[in-house]
Amino acid sequence: MKHFKWLALIAAAVFAIGFVACTPHGVGPGDEAGIKYYTVTFDSDGGSAVEKQTVESGKTATKPADPAKASTASIEYTFAGWYSGDTAFDFATAITSDITLKAKWTEKAIPPANPGTYTVTIAGGIENGTVNTDKSTAAKGDTVTLTLSATDNYELETISVKDASNTEVTTTEVTKGSSYTFTMGESNVTVSATFKKKAATPTYIGTKAPSEAKAVGDIVFSDGSATPYSTDLTLSNAQKDSAVAVIYYAGSSAEDVLGVKTLGVGLKNTGTDSTLAWAKNPDTDITAIQCTPVENAATAKFSGDTDGSDNWQALCDAVSDEGTSGNYPAWEWVNAYATTTVNLTGDYANGWYLPTVAELSMLYRVKDTVNRALEKAGGTEIADEAYWSSSQSASYNGRAWSVWLSDGRLYGYNYKNFNLSVCTVRAF
């Protein structure tokens, strides 16, 4: 019996040895008999781990995700592929044996940090524009240039450079709103900027804004804007309808004949179509509005009242019949000019007056330019006639001064009840 047990043990051992000897390489328990498998091992050479793959003989390995390798203080690593020996491995290659693939890395030297340089940081959250710098790091004393660009309809509002202690660094404007420089100090800096919406560009009837100084020959419009006269000027019908006056005097110094003021003549005057009397009763003496010229209108000097803007009030203070229609026809035409003759509204509905002999003489001196501008604006040209001034003669209270705008003659012997042409002027 014992002999039989020993024989059974020996037979089992022989069977086991024979089974192992006949099993194909790479085939494990449970694998289909006759199929071979091989192991593909990935050596990342210091990079992140990559799992090995078991591949059926004759099949291909799957290319894994690229590993990563941490940079050192002086070297930056970039993955360059899997290699078998010195040859880059082609993952289309059939696997017929165990193989180990090794990662190849390219190295890039990292320059050592310069302790004498500081960073220039553009703050986040900048809206409606961008800020760029020509240097991301700079040494003390370096000039740093900032370039700013606003989006459409926006413009730079503020630009600020602050150091690490939040102290403002002085900037120098190179080009307003778009280019600035500063000198680097011994600190990192942060650059910030704000952009604001552009103010709407105002539109005017004329080419000069209302706030711009007006010059002789300028055509003034109802919005206060103006357009200079020129020989090739063409105004639209809408502009002509909005024209108010033509500038004939622009004094910029107290030494000028009428001092510092700007005067314009109304677009319409009576010309030769209608002549009017200064006063129905010529004998009233109004001393407050006396003005005496010396020589003719082209060169005259004047004494007495040269500003006619308050002469109607002076006349009213001196007489008792100013409210009676027809007693002062020339004055009444001027008083009604804005609402009756040209239908003006707003600011220009008031302020028109009969000019003094001095103010009328200034009109004579530039009459040709004024007439060309009046023609462009659709106005009535100044006629070569005698025009009433608001100045009473100092010698004869029944007479007032007129100016012949044909040749500049100043005539102080006109009885106030004579009929002459009338124009009106206003300060601008």
Side-chain angles (χ1 to χ4, degrees):
M1 187 68 176
K2 288 182 179 179
H3 178 72
F4 176 77
K5 289 182 178 180
W6 279 107
L7 288 174
L9 290 173
I10 292 170
V14 171
F15 176 79
I17 292 170
F19 177 81
V20 172
C22 294
T23 300
H25 177 77
V27 178
D31 291 326
E32 184 180 344
I35 299 177
K36 294 183 179 181
Y37 291 86
Y38 298 102
T39 300
V40 180
T41 302
F42 297 93
D43 177 2
S44 62
D45 190 22
S48 55
V50 178
E51 290 186 4
K52 64 176 63 177
Q53 297 179 18
T54 299
V55 181
E56 182 182 337
S57 177
K59 303 291 186 179
T60 59
T62 301
K63 184 180 180 181
D66 293 346
K69 189 173 183 178
S71 299
T72 67
S74 60
I75 299 175
E76 180 180 84
Y77 295 99
T78 302
F79 179 68
W82 294 104
Y83 277 70
S84 175
D86 295 328
T87 304
F89 183 73
D90 182 357
F91 278 87
T93 302
I95 303 298
T96 58
S97 64
D98 291 336
I99 187 172
T100 296
L101 301 178
K102 188 172 184 179
K104 183 174 182 179
W105 303 92
T106 56
E107 299 179 357
K108 179 182 177 182
I110 299 174
N114 186 343
T117 63
Y118 304 93
T119 60
V120 180
T121 302
I122 306 300
I126 296 175
E127 298 180 341
N128 304 312
T130 59
V131 180
N132 293 295
T133 174
D134 68 334
K135 298 179 180 69
S136 58
T137 61
K140 178 184 178 182
D142 284 353
T143 297
V144 179
T145 300
L146 303 173
T147 303
L148 301 95
S149 179
T151 55
D152 289 345
N153 297 319
Y154 283 83
E155 62 186 356
L156 179 67
E157 182 176 34
T158 63
I159 176 73
S160 174
V161 180
K162 292 186 177 181
D163 64 17
S165 63
N166 208 36
T167 300
E168 193 76 29
V169 177
T170 301
T171 57
T172 300
E173 181 181 275
V174 178
T175 303
K176 184 176 177 62
S178 63
S179 182
Y180 295 79
T181 61
F182 68 91
T183 301
M184 198 69 174
E186 293 183 282
S187 169
N188 297 334
V189 297
T190 300
V191 181
S192 60
T194 59
F195 295 86
K196 64 180 180 179
K197 199 170 185 64
K198 288 181 178 178
T201 302
T203 56
Y204 302 113
I205 300 171
T207 57
K208 282 184 173 182
S211 58
E212 290 186 61
K214 294 173 176 60
V216 171
D218 282 1
I219 300 169
V220 183
F221 299 100
S222 57
D223 64 351
S225 66
T227 292
Y229 162 76
S230 65
T231 55
D232 59 352
L233 175 65
T234 299
L235 298 181
S236 67
N237 289 334
Q239 287 177 307
K240 290 179 182 180
D241 290 342
S242 299
V244 171
V246 172
I247 301 301
Y248 74 90
Y249 177 84
S252 58
S253 167
E255 302 303 316
D256 293 332
V257 177
L258 301 179
V260 180
K261 65 171 65 175
T262 301
L263 297 176
V265 61
L267 247 64
K268 305 293 183 180
N269 67 88
T270 65
T272 57
D273 293 337
S274 175
T275 55
L276 302 168
W278 196 96
K280 186 175 181 179
N281 176 8
D283 296 327
T284 303
D285 188 14
I286 311 169
T287 58
I289 59 175
Q290 292 175 353
C291 179
T292 303
V294 178
E295 301 177 8
N296 74 0
T299 58
K301 304 293 183 183
F302 304 91
S303 60
D305 172 45
T306 61
D307 181 0
S309 63
D310 58 355
N311 281 3
W312 172 248
Q313 185 59 53
L315 182 149
C316 293
D317 292 342
V319 301
S320 59
D321 61 348
E322 74 278 4
T324 304
S325 177
N327 279 2
Y328 300 92
W331 298 81
E332 291 168 16
W333 183 89
V334 169
N335 291 343
Y337 171 79
T339 55
T340 302
T341 305
V342 290
N343 193 30
L344 297 177
T345 59
D347 292 342
Y348 296 135
N350 302 294
W352 299 95
Y353 62 90
L354 189 64
T356 64
V357 65
E359 291 169 328
L360 204 52
S361 294
M362 297 304 102
L363 177 59
Y364 167 75
R365 296 182 186 185
V366 293
K367 186 187 77 169
D368 288 344
T369 297
V370 169
N371 273 347
R372 300 294 73 77
L374 284 169
E375 180 184 22
K376 296 286 188 181
T380 304
E381 294 185 31
I382 303 300
D384 289 335
E385 298 291 339
Y387 279 75
W388 276 123
S389 79
S390 62
S391 303
Q392 178 184 285
S393 170
S395 301
Y396 304 96
N397 61 287
R399 300 175 182 181
W401 285 95
S402 67
V403 178
W404 279 88
L405 291 177
S406 56
D407 55 16
R409 282 178 293 153
L410 304 177
Y411 197 69
Y413 298 97
N414 302 288
Y415 283 103
K416 294 176 182 177
N417 58 3
F418 285 1
N419 288 342
L420 302 178
S421 298
V422 180
C423 67
T424 182
V425 303
R426 188 187 192 282
F428 288 89

